[in-house]
């Protein structure tokens, strides 16, 4: 039995369900055009007994890969090491993975850690409920001369280059869209593209290239290093997106654990500051309430927002109230009035527990002594929605390789005007 078969046998016991908790022990990089990585994976079985370490060679990306101590900006937390090991194990047996975790749970961090460790360049496709199925493969656009052409999606680009495709938010796609567009590519590494060309496996490509009568002009091969990671929130009773059809598309579903209070504190530079204590209490309260009312989920501070708030408080420790308002009030503008009042009360309760007295806030930048009129509130909310739509358009353009400098300048000017209106 070769090394890969031994690894597969260890990882796919009990009807294909992994019974081994995997951790990555060492890497060895080869000096070649692409990185080939030696993974040594070990762990314990369900009875707690040590399993034999299995070493196998896996494909990597074409980016300069770094060692574990310098490959990412922060180390893996203890609860994330198991999930990272499962991603490595799925990669070792040539499988794609789907990461399931709550909002701000560290899914993107795990993907970046994987990509940095194996030298992969990531190509991200941001999913939304109105995305057409064809856009997952190709999109109709215009070139520099104004002629209409088909442009490859980030997923197809990653497939041809042998890089890592990231599907961000597949739970937001309409039912059946992912399977209809990417089912063949995920399961058999072959698919017909809207422009009439075909993607085939390397083995199929070699067989066709040996046939002198075969025309290869409309055929492209999928690189063996190509992998797909999907990120999504776990299914709920209200949104049962994880159907039997979806379960067949990915080899491994990795549950990303929700960070505990201690883990949040370990990544923040000043966890004992009253403002940080307030935000952590507020995050836990919103997460608990959002299980019953998903509308409130938008108010849950992300890890990025917490880190930004921690840096601001480290620079100006006395600016606690202002930092709390900047961190939480933007999300409130997009919420219905009833949900906004619930969120404000949760923030006041968290601040009170931390010994902070917050002023009565109606909208961003206003207090009980300086209340904005309904007209001003409507203008601010409208400006925020316009900026959100423009930011989505800019991110979509960048995703398709069409950077729009003019739109970026428009967003910057709009942000400056909005900030000026809040100050006034």
């Amino acid at each position: 039995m070769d090394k890969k078969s031994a690894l597969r046998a260890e990882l796919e016991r009990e009807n294909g369900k992994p019974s081994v908790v995997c951790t990555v022990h060492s890497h060895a990089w080869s000096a070649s055009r692409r990185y080939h990585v030696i993974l040594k994976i070990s762990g314990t079985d369900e009875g707690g007994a040590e399993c034999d370490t299995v070493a196998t060679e896996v494909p990597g990306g074409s980016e300069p890969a770094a060692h574990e101590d310098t490959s990412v900006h922060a180390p893996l937390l203890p609860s994330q090491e198991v999930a990272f090991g499962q991603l490595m194990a799925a990669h070792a047996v040539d499988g794609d993975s789907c990461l399931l975790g709550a909002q701000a749970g560290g899914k993107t961090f795990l993907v970046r850690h994987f990509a940095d460790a194996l030298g992969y360049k990531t190509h991200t496709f941001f999913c939304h409920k109105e995305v057409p199925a064809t856009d997952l493969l190709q999109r109709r656009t215009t070139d520099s001369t104004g002629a209409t052409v088909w442009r490859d999606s980030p997923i197809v680009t990653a497939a041809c280059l042998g890089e890592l495709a990231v599907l961000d938010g597949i739970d937001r796609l309409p039912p059946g869209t992912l399977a209809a567009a990417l089912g063949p590519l995920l399961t058999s590494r072959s698919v017909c593209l809207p422009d009439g060309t075909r993607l085939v496996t390397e083995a199929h490509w070699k067989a066709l290239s040996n046939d002198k009568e075969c025309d290869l002009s409309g055929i492209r091969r999928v690189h063996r290093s190509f992998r797909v990671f999907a990120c999504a929130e776990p299914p709920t009773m209200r949104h049962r997106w994880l159907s039997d059809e979806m379960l067949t598309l990915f080899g491994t579903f990795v549950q990303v654990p929700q960070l505990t209070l201690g883990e949040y504190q370990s990544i923040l530079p000043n966890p004992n500051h009253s403002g940080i204590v307030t935000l952590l209490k507020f995050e836990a309260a919103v997460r608990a309430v959002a299980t019953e009312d998903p509308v409130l989920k938008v108010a849950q501070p992300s890890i990025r927002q917490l880190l930004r708030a921690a840096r601001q408080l480290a620079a100006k420790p006395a600016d606690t109230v202002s930092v709390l308002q900047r961190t939480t009030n933007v999300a409130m503008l997009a919420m219905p009035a009833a949900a906004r009042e619930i969120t404000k009360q949760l923030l006041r309760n968290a601040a009170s527990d931390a010994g902070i007295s917050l002023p009565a806030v109606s909208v961003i930048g206003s207090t009980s002594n300086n209340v904005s009129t309904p007209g001003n509130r409507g203008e601010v909310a409208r400006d925020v929605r316009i900026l959100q739509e423009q930011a989505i358009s800019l991110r979509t353009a960048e995703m398709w390789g069409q950077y729009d400098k003019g739109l970026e300048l428009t967003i910057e000017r709009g942000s400056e005007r909005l900030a000026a209106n809040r100050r006034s």
Side-chain angles (χ1 to χ4, degrees):
M1 180 181 293
D2 59 15
K3 292 181 179 180
K4 181 164 288 192
S5 299
L7 177 64
R8 189 185 298 273
E10 286 292 326
L11 297 178
E12 296 185 354
R13 294 179 184 174
E14 300 180 5
N15 299 323
K17 297 180 180 179
S19 59
V20 178
V21 177
C22 302
T23 57
V24 179
H25 283 264
S26 63
H27 298 163
W29 311 102
S30 60
S32 60
R33 187 173 61 88
R34 298 189 68 86
Y35 286 88
H36 291 269
V37 188
I38 303 297
L39 296 183
K40 292 184 178 180
I41 304 178
S42 64
T44 58
D45 59 20
E46 293 179 345
E50 292 289 335
C51 298
D52 295 334
T53 298
V54 180
T56 184
E57 180 179 338
V58 299
S62 59
E63 292 287 296
H67 295 287
E68 285 184 281
D69 57 349
T70 59
S71 61
V72 290
H73 299 293
L76 287 173
L77 297 171
S79 63
Q80 296 173 325
E81 291 179 354
V82 173
F84 182 72
Q86 292 173 342
L87 292 178
M88 284 292 187
H91 175 62
V93 293
D94 300 329
D96 299 322
S97 300
C98 178
L99 289 79
L100 301 176
Q103 180 180 350
K107 298 186 293 295
T108 302
F109 173 75
L110 279 173
V111 171
R112 290 177 177 173
H113 197 286
F114 177 93
D116 289 341
L118 296 182
Y120 272 107
K121 181 180 179 181
T122 58
H123 298 260
T124 304
F125 189 99
F126 298 98
C127 303
H128 55 88
K129 62 181 179 180
E130 296 179 355
V131 62
T134 54
D135 275 13
L136 291 170
L137 295 171
Q138 288 181 325
R139 187 182 192 183
R140 199 66 172 168
T141 184
T142 57
D143 59 15
S144 58
T145 64
T148 58
V149 295
W150 286 103
R151 186 182 296 273
D152 289 342
S153 73
I155 304 166
V156 174
T157 301
C160 295
L161 297 179
E163 300 295 352
L164 179 63
V166 181
L167 298 172
D168 193 330
I170 62 171
D171 55 306
R172 297 190 289 266
L173 291 174
T177 300
L178 185 66
L182 297 182
L185 183 62
L186 293 173
T187 56
S188 61
R189 290 295 190 261
S190 62
V191 68
C192 292
L193 301 179
D195 66 354
T197 60
R198 292 170 54 201
L199 296 182
V200 298
T201 62
E202 285 197 350
H204 192 183
W205 169 269
K206 291 179 181 178
L208 294 175
S209 60
N210 292 331
D211 185 357
K212 297 181 180 180
E213 298 181 358
C214 181
D215 182 11
L216 299 178
S217 59
I219 301 176
R220 290 187 282 173
R221 55 181 165 182
V222 177
H223 200 285
R224 65 180 296 267
S225 297
F226 171 58
R227 294 291 184 272
V228 178
F229 281 1
C231 300
E233 296 186 23
T236 62
M237 293 297 294
R238 296 187 178 185
H239 187 35
R240 300 179 180 180
W241 64 269
L242 190 57
S243 61
D244 294 339
E245 185 180 49
M246 292 286 287
L247 290 172
T248 63
L249 299 181
F250 298 95
T252 302
F253 286 82
V254 178
Q255 182 70 40
V256 180
Q258 177 67 44
L259 300 185
T260 63
L261 177 61
E263 289 175 329
Y264 272 121
Q265 292 175 335
S266 67
I267 63 177
L268 297 175
N270 46 353
N272 296 323
H273 191 284
S274 58
I276 298 299
V277 173
T278 298
L279 288 175
L280 292 178
K281 289 180 177 291
F282 175 68
E283 189 275 338
V286 171
R287 186 181 352 129
V289 176
T291 57
E292 299 295 333
D293 189 358
V295 176
L296 298 175
K297 186 164 46 177
V298 69
Q300 182 179 346
S302 65
I303 296 178
R304 297 182 187 89
Q305 289 175 310
L306 293 174
L307 289 172
R308 187 184 304 117
R311 289 192 295 268
Q312 293 171 349
L313 290 173
K316 295 182 178 180
D319 198 20
T320 303
V321 174
S322 178
V323 170
L324 291 178
Q325 291 180 351
R326 287 197 299 268
T327 305
T328 60
N329 285 0
V330 173
M332 295 183 191
L333 283 176
M335 302 174 66
R340 187 185 306 119
E341 292 302 320
I342 295 175
T343 304
K344 290 179 184 178
Q345 186 60 47
L346 293 176
L347 180 61
R348 285 193 290 267
N349 294 342
S352 177
D353 293 341
I356 300 175
S357 178
L358 290 181
V361 178
S362 57
V363 293
I364 295 177
S366 64
T367 63
S368 57
N369 297 326
N370 181 26
V371 179
S372 299
T373 64
N376 291 338
R377 290 199 298 268
E379 292 178 1
V380 171
R382 184 190 66 243
D383 291 342
V384 170
R385 285 195 299 269
I386 292 175
L387 285 174
Q388 289 175 339
E389 293 173 356
Q390 291 174 339
I392 292 173
S393 299
L394 179 61
R395 188 170 67 172
T396 303
E398 292 176 344
M399 181 176 72
W400 289 92
Q402 298 173 310
Y403 178 71
D404 192 337
K405 181 65 176 178
L407 182 57
E408 183 181 31
L409 293 175
T410 300
I411 294 176
E412 291 180 359
R413 297 191 190 100
S415 301
E416 293 172 356
R417 288 195 301 270
L418 182 60
N421 291 336
R422 292 170 181 170
R423 289 191 295 266
S424 63

Short mmCIF file of all heavy atoms in Angstrom, two decimals, residues 232-251:
data_model
loop_
_atom_site.label_atom_id
_atom_site.label_comp_id
_atom_site.label_asym_id
_atom_site.label_seq_id
_atom_site.Cartn_x
_atom_site.Cartn_y
_atom_site.Cartn_z
N ALA A 232 -19.49 29.27 4.29
CA ALA A 232 -20.93 29.46 4.48
C ALA A 232 -21.27 29.43 5.96
O ALA A 232 -20.50 28.89 6.77
CB ALA A 232 -21.73 28.39 3.72
N GLU A 233 -22.41 29.99 6.29
CA GLU A 233 -22.93 29.87 7.64
C GLU A 233 -23.71 28.56 7.76
O GLU A 233 -24.29 28.09 6.78
CB GLU A 233 -23.82 31.06 7.98
CG GLU A 233 -23.08 32.39 8.01
CD GLU A 233 -23.94 33.53 8.49
OE1 GLU A 233 -24.94 33.26 9.19
OE2 GLU A 233 -23.62 34.69 8.18
N PRO A 234 -23.73 27.95 8.92
CA PRO A 234 -24.44 26.67 9.08
C PRO A 234 -25.93 26.82 8.75
O PRO A 234 -26.52 27.88 8.94
CB PRO A 234 -24.24 26.33 10.56
CG PRO A 234 -23.04 27.12 10.98
CD PRO A 234 -23.08 28.37 10.17
N PRO A 235 -26.54 25.75 8.25
CA PRO A 235 -27.99 25.81 7.95
C PRO A 235 -28.80 25.95 9.23
O PRO A 235 -28.39 25.49 10.30
CB PRO A 235 -28.26 24.48 7.25
CG PRO A 235 -27.16 23.57 7.72
CD PRO A 235 -25.96 24.43 7.93
N THR A 236 -29.95 26.60 9.10
CA THR A 236 -30.86 26.79 10.23
C THR A 236 -32.24 26.28 9.84
O THR A 236 -32.49 25.90 8.69
CB THR A 236 -30.94 28.27 10.61
OG1 THR A 236 -31.47 29.02 9.51
CG2 THR A 236 -29.56 28.82 10.96
N MET A 237 -33.15 26.30 10.78
CA MET A 237 -34.52 25.87 10.50
C MET A 237 -35.17 26.79 9.48
O MET A 237 -36.01 26.35 8.68
CB MET A 237 -35.33 25.86 11.79
CG MET A 237 -34.88 24.82 12.80
SD MET A 237 -35.08 23.14 12.18
CE MET A 237 -36.87 23.05 12.08
N ARG A 238 -34.80 28.06 9.47
CA ARG A 238 -35.38 29.00 8.52
C ARG A 238 -34.70 28.97 7.16
O ARG A 238 -35.28 29.37 6.16
CB ARG A 238 -35.31 30.42 9.10
CG ARG A 238 -36.12 30.62 10.36
CD ARG A 238 -36.14 32.09 10.76
NE ARG A 238 -36.94 32.33 11.95
CZ ARG A 238 -37.20 33.53 12.46
NH1 ARG A 238 -36.73 34.61 11.85
NH2 ARG A 238 -37.92 33.67 13.55
N HIS A 239 -33.45 28.54 7.15
CA HIS A 239 -32.69 28.56 5.89
C HIS A 239 -31.94 27.23 5.76
O HIS A 239 -30.77 27.11 6.10
CB HIS A 239 -31.72 29.73 5.89
CG HIS A 239 -31.01 29.92 4.58
ND1 HIS A 239 -31.60 29.67 3.36
CD2 HIS A 239 -29.74 30.34 4.30
CE1 HIS A 239 -30.74 29.93 2.39
NE2 HIS A 239 -29.60 30.32 2.94
N ARG A 240 -32.62 26.24 5.20
CA ARG A 240 -32.04 24.90 5.05
C ARG A 240 -31.40 24.77 3.66
O ARG A 240 -31.90 24.06 2.79
CB ARG A 240 -33.12 23.84 5.24
CG ARG A 240 -33.80 23.87 6.61
CD ARG A 240 -34.87 22.80 6.72
NE ARG A 240 -35.52 22.82 8.02
CZ ARG A 240 -36.50 21.99 8.39
NH1 ARG A 240 -36.93 21.08 7.53
NH2 ARG A 240 -37.03 22.08 9.59
N TRP A 241 -30.30 25.48 3.50
CA TRP A 241 -29.65 25.51 2.19
C TRP A 241 -28.81 24.27 1.94
O TRP A 241 -28.52 23.95 0.78
CB TRP A 241 -28.78 26.75 2.10
CG TRP A 241 -27.64 26.77 3.08
CD1 TRP A 241 -27.64 27.30 4.33
CD2 TRP A 241 -26.33 26.21 2.89
NE1 TRP A 241 -26.43 27.11 4.95
CE2 TRP A 241 -25.60 26.45 4.08
CE3 TRP A 241 -25.71 25.53 1.85
CZ2 TRP A 241 -24.29 26.03 4.25
CZ3 TRP A 241 -24.40 25.12 2.00
CH2 TRP A 241 -23.71 25.36 3.19
N LEU A 242 -28.39 23.56 2.99
CA LEU A 242 -27.49 22.41 2.83
C LEU A 242 -28.32 21.17 2.50
O LEU A 242 -28.67 20.38 3.37
CB LEU A 242 -26.66 22.21 4.09
CG LEU A 242 -25.51 21.21 4.01
CD1 LEU A 242 -24.55 21.58 2.89
CD2 LEU A 242 -24.77 21.13 5.33
N SER A 243 -28.63 21.00 1.21
CA SER A 243 -29.45 19.89 0.75
C SER A 243 -28.59 18.67 0.43
O SER A 243 -27.36 18.72 0.46
CB SER A 243 -30.23 20.32 -0.50
OG SER A 243 -29.33 20.67 -1.54
N ASP A 244 -29.25 17.56 0.11
CA ASP A 244 -28.53 16.35 -0.30
C ASP A 244 -27.69 16.61 -1.54
O ASP A 244 -26.60 16.06 -1.71
CB ASP A 244 -29.52 15.21 -0.56
CG ASP A 244 -30.23 14.76 0.70
OD1 ASP A 244 -29.70 15.04 1.80
OD2 ASP A 244 -31.30 14.15 0.60
N GLU A 245 -28.19 17.47 -2.42
CA GLU A 245 -27.46 17.81 -3.63
C GLU A 245 -26.17 18.54 -3.30
O GLU A 245 -25.11 18.27 -3.90
CB GLU A 245 -28.35 18.68 -4.53
CG GLU A 245 -27.75 19.02 -5.88
CD GLU A 245 -28.69 19.89 -6.69
OE1 GLU A 245 -29.20 20.89 -6.14
OE2 GLU A 245 -28.91 19.56 -7.86
N MET A 246 -26.21 19.44 -2.33
CA MET A 246 -25.02 20.19 -1.94
C MET A 246 -24.00 19.29 -1.25
O MET A 246 -22.79 19.49 -1.39
CB MET A 246 -25.41 21.33 -1.02
CG MET A 246 -26.23 22.42 -1.67
SD MET A 246 -25.25 23.46 -2.77
CE MET A 246 -24.33 24.41 -1.58
N LEU A 247 -24.48 18.29 -0.52
CA LEU A 247 -23.57 17.42 0.22
C LEU A 247 -22.67 16.61 -0.70
O LEU A 247 -21.59 16.18 -0.29
CB LEU A 247 -24.37 16.48 1.12
CG LEU A 247 -25.06 17.12 2.33
CD1 LEU A 247 -25.96 16.12 3.02
CD2 LEU A 247 -24.04 17.67 3.32
N THR A 248 -23.09 16.40 -1.94
CA THR A 248 -22.30 15.60 -2.87
C THR A 248 -21.20 16.41 -3.56
O THR A 248 -20.35 15.82 -4.23
CB THR A 248 -23.20 14.98 -3.94
OG1 THR A 248 -23.81 16.03 -4.71
CG2 THR A 248 -24.29 14.13 -3.31
N LEU A 249 -21.20 17.73 -3.40
CA LEU A 249 -20.28 18.57 -4.16
C LEU A 249 -18.91 18.71 -3.49
O LEU A 249 -17.93 19.03 -4.17
CB LEU A 249 -20.88 19.96 -4.36
CG LEU A 249 -22.20 20.02 -5.14
CD1 LEU A 249 -22.66 21.46 -5.28
CD2 LEU A 249 -22.06 19.37 -6.51
N PHE A 250 -18.83 18.50 -2.18
CA PHE A 250 -17.58 18.71 -1.46
C PHE A 250 -17.19 17.43 -0.72
O PHE A 250 -18.03 16.74 -0.14
CB PHE A 250 -17.71 19.87 -0.47
CG PHE A 250 -18.03 21.18 -1.12
CD1 PHE A 250 -19.34 21.62 -1.23
CD2 PHE A 250 -17.02 21.97 -1.66
CE1 PHE A 250 -19.64 22.82 -1.84
CE2 PHE A 250 -17.31 23.18 -2.27
CZ PHE A 250 -18.62 23.60 -2.35
N GLY A 251 -15.90 17.17 -0.72
CA GLY A 251 -15.41 15.97 -0.05
C GLY A 251 -15.43 16.07 1.44
O GLY A 251 -15.60 15.07 2.15
#
